[in-house]
Amino acid sequence: MAQSRLAKWLRRAVFVTVLGVCALGVGQALMHPDTPLPDAWNPTQPFAVADDITPLTDWKLRALLATPGACVEATSKAADIAPRPPLEAGEQCFIRDRVRVASVGSADVRDFETTCHIALKLALWERHVLRPAALEIFGQDLREIRHFDSYNCRRIRTSRGVSDRWSTHATARAVDVSGFVLTDGTLIDLRQHWDDDGDRGVFLRRAQQGACDIFGLVLGPEYNALHADHFHIQLDGQGCR
């Protein structure tokens, strides 16, 4: 009986040792500068906007946002942003982790202030959705993203009037995008082209679906008349309407 218990203990000890050696080997392989694993799939590498979107992206993004200063550092590699002091306009209205945005990737924007989190996800959207769609559909790049701003200290507007609930715009956790301009000056406008049967309509639907994959809640022209001329894109919530 004693020998049986000893044999079982030895088997477990060997198993744990082998497992530890394997884990150490995998860890060293992941961290080796010549590892064949792409950064996007490597859990030891930090989030980067330029990396492909993978099942690890959300996990890496959460880790980045939990690290002070990391959002600005990562976003500044993919957008023209400038950190600003926090804005505290009231209990319900503020911008924390505040930045000023002048461009996102290759696309200019009218300067606006928002949270770094919004700016970072706009950079992801531009890099992995908007630019590839523009190149595929129109054979050219994106020159401008048009918007109706991000921060606005107000309550939610509904088809029945103003709600008692505060809008995500009051904390700059949303942005309203109204259209796009290609490098040759072609305008793609939500109000004018959402129902377009041609390429501009295809692009807008691709843009909305891509935003839904990156952000939380996205409301567009098919949601209600208040959104006939823009995509309301926010971090909180979930849905594509």
Side-chain angles (χ1 to χ4, degrees), residues 13-62:
V14 170
F15 175 76
V16 170
T17 301
V18 171
L19 190 63
V21 170
C22 290
L24 180 62
V26 170
Q28 290 178 334
L30 289 176
M31 292 184 286
H32 193 281
D34 295 327
T35 178
L37 191 65
D39 286 352
W41 289 92
N42 191 335
T44 69
Q45 294 301 309
F47 172 90
V49 170
D51 288 346
D52 292 338
I53 295 177
T54 73
L56 293 178
T57 300
D58 284 344
W59 175 76
K60 288 187 175 190
L61 183 56
R62 287 194 298 271

Side-chain angles (χ1 to χ4, degrees), residues 97-109:
D97 204 13
R98 175 185 174 202
V99 296
R100 188 165 189 82
V101 184
S103 69
V104 179
S106 65
D108 292 332
V109 297

Side-chain angles (χ1 to χ4, degrees), residues 2-185:
Q3 289 182 338
S4 175
R5 285 198 298 269
L6 178 60
K8 184 180 295 186
W9 181 87
L10 286 172
R11 285 196 298 271
R12 288 178 179 175
V14 170
F15 175 76
V16 170
T17 301
V18 171
L19 190 63
V21 170
C22 290
L24 180 62
V26 170
Q28 290 178 334
L30 289 176
M31 292 184 286
H32 193 281
D34 295 327
T35 178
L37 191 65
D39 286 352
W41 289 92
N42 191 335
T44 69
Q45 294 301 309
F47 172 90
V49 170
D51 288 346
D52 292 338
I53 295 177
T54 73
L56 293 178
T57 300
D58 284 344
W59 175 76
K60 288 187 175 190
L61 183 56
R62 287 194 298 271
L64 177 130
L65 293 171
T67 305
C71 180
V72 169
E73 182 180 354
T75 308
S76 63
K77 295 175 182 177
D80 183 1
I81 63 168
R84 291 287 187 268
L87 171 68
E88 298 287 346
E91 185 179 343
Q92 304 292 343
C93 297
F94 51 81
I95 311 177
R96 293 163 189 164
D97 204 13
R98 175 185 174 202
V99 296
R100 188 165 189 82
V101 184
S103 69
V104 179
S106 65
D108 292 332
V109 297
R110 174 176 51 82
D111 285 14
F112 70 103
E113 293 188 347
T114 188
T115 60
C116 185
H117 194 171
I118 281 284
L120 181 61
K121 290 213 163 184
L122 282 174
L124 271 177
W125 189 38
E126 187 272 346
R127 171 80 182 215
H128 296 286
V129 178
L130 299 178
R131 287 187 69 193
L135 289 168
E136 179 185 333
I137 297 169
F138 301 102
Q140 56 182 301
D141 212 336
L142 199 64
R143 189 177 80 189
E144 181 184 355
I145 299 173
R146 296 193 170 185
H147 65 91
F148 294 151
D149 223 330
S150 174
Y151 175 72
N152 190 342
C153 182
R154 64 171 175 82
R155 297 178 188 273
I156 296 174
R157 297 173 185 144
T158 74
S159 56
R160 298 182 298 277
V162 178
S163 168
D164 291 335
R165 296 166 54 207
W166 285 91
S167 169
T168 45
H169 285 289
T171 52
R173 292 181 62 80
V175 61
D176 289 342
V177 173
S178 61
F180 310 89
V181 180
L182 302 177
T183 51
D184 69 354

